[in-house]
Amino acid sequence: MTSTDPALDGELPRQRLTVAEIAHLAGVSAPTVSRVLNGHAGVALATRQRVEAVLREHGYRRRDSEPAAIIELVFHALESLWALEIIQGVEQVARESGLAVVLTEMQGRLTPGRAWTEQVLARRPTGVVAVFSELTVQQQSQLATRSIPLVVLDPTGEPLHETPSVGATNWSGGMAATRHLLDLGHRRIAMLSGPTQWPCCRARLDGYRAAMDAAGVPVDPELVRVSTLYVEGGLRDGTELLRLPDPPTAVFTANDLQALGVYEAARRAGVRIPEDLSVVGFDDLSFTRWAGPPMTTVRQPLVQMGAAAARMVLALADGERLEQHRVELATTLVVRESTAPPRQVS
């Protein structure tokens, strides 16, 4: 059976549904189906959902012969050098392939809105890289039915089983940071985690706990704080930790921005780093080597992670099968001058 609608040109060979058949199954008109397929506005939400349900139920995939020469890159927020390094990695791979990068910032929201979805479907990019974002099942399905590959970098939740994702070895990074402090002789080691519902933060916290357990050092619940991944979170929680009757001699943070906040908390409290307090961050952003003192941190290969996600998108767009749907790049402990043995109390 042959479609008379250009919206279905390039349909995968196994697909036999025409626009008319989709319209019949969804109880809508053929022009309405075309508008949904092409991401056009002017379709009521309930109607759009009925059409999408038919597409999902029948495993529909369209393959346009010429997708737009762009990679969509979606961030929940663009507030630090962390995002810039990922952008650099994606842009390098895109440039090598003659593609441009379209950047969307969701102003702190984890899930893109309906307007973004419609715009992406209308642009028909080569693929989408979603960073620290959480696309809904419906949004992932909408991309899939248009054969727009999606790769998630540092997912904030558990992505669908078939959704490829890129991350780092967060657990071993957390363990290496904590083990470094233990090897220096610290026992009262605090941990500033990020939101523990996010897998990367939970893994870093679990790595900290595993290192403490392996060393036979009990974790004091007062020394573990769930903080925000910003300087303000490190300042607030670092201040509270230093005010404890028995404060920590070392702090491991879930990212470098938190560690910078701990630096400021120590400065205000008259606590010297590393003489009185050792601090370890996570990410190895460029400012860490210029901090006072230069910061010991866990290097997360952010540029390489962005590049890996972009390469996966391009491979999927070319119809290749991925050898791995989950890729984790190695972290590395970088020892600088913010860590030292604990001060001996006479």
Side-chain angles (χ1 to χ4, degrees):
M1 190 175 294
T2 304
S3 169
T4 58
D5 193 292
L8 293 183
D9 286 349
E11 187 175 296
L12 291 179
R14 67 184 180 87
Q15 295 299 335
R16 301 302 179 190
L17 288 182
T18 65
V19 165
E21 288 168 337
I22 296 171
H24 174 73
L25 291 170
V28 300
S29 68
T32 296
V33 173
S34 290
R35 285 197 292 272
V36 172
L37 286 170
N38 290 289
H40 294 166
V43 180
L45 178 59
T47 302
R48 185 181 299 277
Q49 289 174 338
R50 285 207 307 278
V51 174
E52 294 287 353
V54 171
L55 297 175
R56 286 196 301 273
E57 180 182 351
H58 291 270
Y60 175 81
R61 297 289 188 276
R62 65 177 292 169
R63 179 177 293 163
D64 294 299
S65 57
E66 287 295 333
I70 56 176
I71 293 178
E72 296 272 345
L73 181 55
V74 188
F75 279 90
H76 83 296
L78 294 172
E79 297 182 349
S80 78
L81 295 171
W82 179 87
L84 180 59
E85 293 197 17
I86 291 173
I87 293 170
Q88 289 174 343
V90 173
E91 199 279 330
Q92 285 173 8
V93 173
R95 185 173 64 250
E96 292 168 0
S97 301
L99 304 181
V101 176
V102 173
L103 186 63
T104 300
E105 196 251 9
M106 295 184 295
Q107 299 177 327
R109 299 190 309 274
L110 294 178
T111 301
R114 178 180 170 186
W116 173 84
T117 307
E118 292 178 350
Q119 291 166 7
V120 169
L121 296 181
R123 281 195 288 267
R124 300 184 192 176
T126 298
V128 175
V129 175
V131 183
F132 221 64
S133 303
E134 192 170 314
L135 274 66
T136 65
V137 172
Q138 182 180 4
Q139 287 171 326
Q140 295 186 48
S141 176
Q142 287 174 312
L143 294 176
T145 57
R146 277 66 167 193
S147 292
I148 300 174
L150 166 69
V151 175
V152 181
L153 196 155
D154 258 352
T156 56
E158 298 301 331
L160 294 180
H161 177 68
E162 66 271 18
T163 303
S165 63
V166 176
T169 53
N170 293 293
W171 183 87
S172 49
M175 190 167 190
T178 310
R179 184 181 292 154
H180 168 65
L181 295 170
L182 288 164
D183 289 345
L184 287 172
H186 294 278
R187 292 299 178 264
R188 285 194 60 74
I189 303 172
M191 168 67 187
L192 294 190
S193 174
T196 52
Q197 70 268 28
W198 296 346
C200 61
C201 295
R202 186 168 63 246
R204 293 170 199 177
L205 176 59
D206 288 346
Y208 157 83
R209 292 185 184 279
M212 296 288 279
D213 182 64
V217 178
V219 174
D220 184 343
E222 275 198 311
L223 299 186
V224 178
R225 307 292 173 103
V226 175
S227 189
T228 61
L229 294 171
Y230 297 99
V231 173
E232 295 80 4
L235 174 58
R236 181 188 64 245
D237 290 290
T239 299
E240 292 180 3
L241 287 169
L242 293 176
R243 287 176 177 169
L244 291 173
D246 187 10
T249 63
V251 179
F252 167 46
T253 66
N255 74 355
D256 292 337
L257 293 178
Q258 285 180 334
L260 198 60
V262 173
Y263 269 45
E264 176 60 15
R267 186 192 68 81
R268 294 183 183 184
V271 172
R272 299 168 300 166
I273 298 174
E275 293 85 354
D276 305 316
L277 180 71
S278 287
V279 180
V280 181
F282 202 109
D283 284 337
D284 193 28
L285 300 180
S286 59
F287 70 79
T288 56
R289 70 199 66 177
W290 305 112
M295 187 185 296
T296 296
T297 185
V298 176
R299 177 177 295 149
Q300 187 173 197
L302 297 169
V303 174
Q304 291 84 353
M305 289 163 64
R311 290 192 191 99
M312 291 168 74
V313 159
L314 295 182
L316 290 168
D318 287 340
E320 299 178 17
R321 293 179 63 87
L322 298 177
E323 292 184 5
Q324 293 178 295
H325 269 56
R326 172 65 179 174
V327 173
E328 291 191 350
L329 301 185
T331 53
T332 307
L333 178 68
V334 180
V335 178
R336 297 195 179 102
E337 299 172 30
S338 66
T339 51
R343 180 169 54 87
Q344 298 298 318
V345 179
S346 56

